[in-house]
Amino acid sequence: MIRDRFAPSPTGNVHVGSLRTALYNYIYAKKMNGKFLLRLEDTDRTRLEAGATENLLNALMVTGIETDEGLILKDGQVDQIGDLGPYIQSERLAIYQDYIKRLLDQGHAYYCFCSKDRLDTLRAQQKENGQTPRYDGHCRDLTAAEIDQKLKNSESYTIRLKLPANHQIAFDDVVRGHIEMNTDDLDDQVLIKADGFPTYHFAVVVDDHLMQISHVIRGEEWLPSTPKHIYLYECFGWEKPLFVHLPNILNDDRKKLSKRQGDVSVEDFLKKGYLPEALINFLALLGWSPDSEQEIFSLDELIQAFDFSRINKSGAVFDRAKLNWMNAHYIKELTTEKFVENMLPFLLDSETISPDQISEKSEWLGKVAQLLKERIEYFAQIPEELAHILNDQFEITDPEALELLAEESTGRLYKVLAEKIASSEKLDVERAKAILKEIQKEEKIKGKMLYMPARIMITGEMHGPDLTLIMDVLGKDAVLLRLAAMKTLVAQYESDEEVKNG
Ligand code: GLU
């Protein structure tokens, strides 16, 4: 059975790269009818952040990535399911003690009593001499008596991996192919730290084995560590999982995706009103491509289409414009109700409406949704877009617009339009359409000469979304006020024309 896992460290917000790793693991497990595990790697006690685990589980839940085993969110609380737990590394310390003992007994690991000061000095010296900093093996050959004595004296220690000299480590990565490394180029990795916690490198191997992981699918940044992991599997005599290293995610400048160039955390994107399905679709195509031109994929379609052979080796550029395009696509597909649901937090936040207005304004909100659906790339753009539409303090400066307002027919249009709106009971889309039709028939003002000046008088602009919808959203009183403000303008242009003509 295929078993893979997402093994994040709870160190703050969820990076989009982490979500992609989780996604690929999830998709692959689903595709193969396997199990997707979530294990928390919290052994670096200096980097823990409160709330990070909840954040993480929340990001997965929102994006539809469900864990089969390991950590889950139950009634908002972190919980664990499965028989091979605990799935939180800090709850597995006794297990690591057991396995480190085996390595010590077999001579694959050794106690290291070097002080931090000694190691710092060593590193500084090596750097100064232009060497790659690495442990010099100072404690490799302590005698059993020496070790006992130091332990009795309660000297602080770490436990290191004892790598043999000139030993070739080889493995086949599913994406990268055959990889070899000589132990002469590797450091005697710390396996147990001075605080008694295992390092990532040790815990990851023990846990992947005990949790029966068949596929390790993770970011490329872990590729250089993999030979050490492989060597540990060999020491224990364990069967190795398959390794699948995913390409880095890059900024436009082809450097690793960083905060400097904009948002990088899942929370950032969700907060801005990116839809989870768009985020998932976009991330799925960062480093993997389908066997077709298709770009829009639901999670189910991804599960169908995904396969390892189409994972790229080279880094994938995080193209924000493409993400926006994709999000706009998903936004257009939303029902009005869903659109309103997504838009509301932004309207409340910007105080465009207050909570007690929501129900009385529900019809109006539906119209705003229709008006803005085609116009936004993400929901945080809503307040500004709407404010723009609701703003009646506009100035008309475009010469072409001014010319249209100066037309004789615009004078007539202006008058009847204002009259017809004033005598209407209310101004909804249907009524607005009917009025424009009536004017067309009665005044013989048609096409561009009808719609453009009407739009300019009501919105100040030559182009924009459906005018009748705008009229509906603004409402009768606001439209009349806007027309009233035009009165002098239209008249003034008229008289200017007269002056010029005369
Ligand atoms: N804890 C590691 C991380 O934070 C997991 C790496 C792995 O998947 O082996 O990414």
Side-chain angles (χ1 to χ4, degrees), residues 273-339:
Y274 284 84
L275 296 170
E277 47 279 39
L279 214 48
I280 286 295
N281 190 160
F282 175 73
L283 289 176
L285 299 179
L286 275 186
W288 169 82
S289 57
D291 193 7
S292 66
E293 294 292 294
Q294 187 177 346
E295 292 207 276
I296 301 297
F297 284 89
S298 67
L299 205 44
D300 282 344
E301 288 171 323
L302 285 172
I303 293 168
Q304 289 295 319
F306 187 74
D307 85 85
F308 287 151
S309 71
R310 302 192 62 88
I311 293 178
N312 300 329
K313 283 196 187 67
S314 51
V317 174
F318 193 89
D319 179 350
R320 292 170 196 273
K322 181 162 180 189
L323 171 60
N324 284 350
W325 166 80
M326 207 169 254
N327 202 50
H329 167 87
Y330 280 93
I331 286 178
K332 285 184 196 118
E333 305 246 293
L334 291 177
T335 61
T336 300
E337 199 186 343
K338 278 271 168 225
F339 189 101

Side-chain angles (χ1 to χ4, degrees), residues 5 7-9 41 200 204 218 222:
R5 87 299 191 273
S9 300
E41 304 209 322
Y200 155 72
V204 77
R218 63 184 172 195
W222 302 107

Side-chain angles (χ1 to χ4, degrees), residues 18 49 81 126 165 206 273-274 291 312 349 354 361 370 385 485:
S18 294
E49 257 187 56
I81 46 168
Q126 288 170 330
V206 170
Y274 284 84
D291 193 7
N312 300 329
D349 227 41
S354 59
K361 286 203 166 211
Q370 282 176 51
E385 281 286 329

Side-chain angles (χ1 to χ4, degrees), residues 334-346 365 369 379:
L334 291 177
T335 61
T336 300
E337 199 186 343
K338 278 271 168 225
F339 189 101
V340 170
E341 198 180 299
N342 278 284
M343 164 173 79
L344 261 180
F346 295 93
L365 288 169
F379 281 95

Side-chain angles (χ1 to χ4, degrees), residues 251-422:
N251 279 316
D252 289 342
D253 60 3
R254 303 202 68 84
K255 298 218 177 80
K256 240 183 135 179
L257 187 66
S258 76
K259 183 101 199 143
R260 251 176 304 124
Q261 302 210 355
D263 297 325
V264 291
S265 82
V266 177
E267 291 86 343
D268 287 339
F269 285 106
L270 294 177
K271 250 192 255 152
K272 279 204 171 154
Y274 284 84
L275 296 170
E277 47 279 39
L279 214 48
I280 286 295
N281 190 160
F282 175 73
L283 289 176
L285 299 179
L286 275 186
W288 169 82
S289 57
D291 193 7
S292 66
E293 294 292 294
Q294 187 177 346
E295 292 207 276
I296 301 297
F297 284 89
S298 67
L299 205 44
D300 282 344
E301 288 171 323
L302 285 172
I303 293 168
Q304 289 295 319
F306 187 74
D307 85 85
F308 287 151
S309 71
R310 302 192 62 88
I311 293 178
N312 300 329
K313 283 196 187 67
S314 51
V317 174
F318 193 89
D319 179 350
R320 292 170 196 273
K322 181 162 180 189
L323 171 60
N324 284 350
W325 166 80
M326 207 169 254
N327 202 50
H329 167 87
Y330 280 93
I331 286 178
K332 285 184 196 118
E333 305 246 293
L334 291 177
T335 61
T336 300
E337 199 186 343
K338 278 271 168 225
F339 189 101
V340 170
E341 198 180 299
N342 278 284
M343 164 173 79
L344 261 180
F346 295 93
L347 292 184
L348 291 170
D349 227 41
S350 58
E351 294 180 2
T352 310
I353 69 167
S354 59
D356 52 309
Q357 290 175 314
I358 296 175
S359 65
E360 100 200 28
K361 286 203 166 211
S362 78
E363 205 186 320
W364 181 78
L365 288 169
K367 305 232 160 100
V368 171
Q370 282 176 51
L371 191 59
L372 298 182
K373 210 172 194 175
E374 306 283 329
R375 295 182 67 80
I376 57 160
E377 291 178 319
Y378 51 93
F379 281 95
Q381 292 171 327
I382 288 261
E384 209 184 303
E385 281 286 329
L386 186 56
H388 180 71
I389 287 167
L390 297 181
N391 171 36
D392 54 8
Q393 300 300 311
F394 50 78
E395 246 183 273
I396 301 166
T397 51
D398 185 327
E400 205 186 329
L402 293 172
E403 236 170 74
L404 278 168
L405 290 185
E407 289 287 340
E408 174 275 334
S409 63
T410 305
R412 278 188 289 130
L413 166 64
Y414 172 76
K415 196 163 158 284
V416 266
L417 187 59
E419 278 168 11
K420 282 182 187 287
I421 292 173

Side-chain angles (χ1 to χ4, degrees), residues 144-248:
E146 283 170 318
I147 294 168
D148 273 354
Q149 190 55 46
K150 285 174 186 292
L151 290 177
K152 263 196 207 113
N153 294 347
S154 301
E155 281 186 39
S156 161
Y157 65 85
T158 60
I159 299 176
R160 289 182 183 269
L161 178 62
K162 194 172 205 168
L163 284 175
N166 192 23
H167 171 80
Q168 204 66 8
I169 303 172
F171 69 101
D172 291 298
D173 185 84
V174 171
V175 177
R176 307 245 139 202
H178 191 71
I179 291 174
E180 286 198 20
M181 201 174 239
N182 194 285
T183 47
D184 286 352
D185 299 319
L186 291 171
D187 213 353
D188 278 355
Q189 176 70 48
V190 172
L191 301 177
I192 300 286
K193 295 178 282 184
D195 62 3
F197 278 78
T199 55
Y200 155 72
H201 302 287
F202 184 53
V204 77
V205 170
V206 170
D207 288 351
D208 283 342
H209 170 72
L210 293 179
M211 294 176 189
Q212 298 167 13
I213 297 302
S214 63
H215 289 69
V216 170
I217 306 170
R218 63 184 172 195
E220 188 183 311
E221 67 269 31
W222 302 107
L223 190 63
S225 308
T226 309
K228 289 184 238 180
H229 303 171
I230 297 284
Y231 184 72
L232 278 169
Y233 279 99
E234 286 171 2
C235 290
F236 282 118
W238 290 338
E239 197 188 324
K240 293 162 218 133
L242 282 176
F243 289 92
V244 185
H245 284 95
L246 309 175
N248 280 329

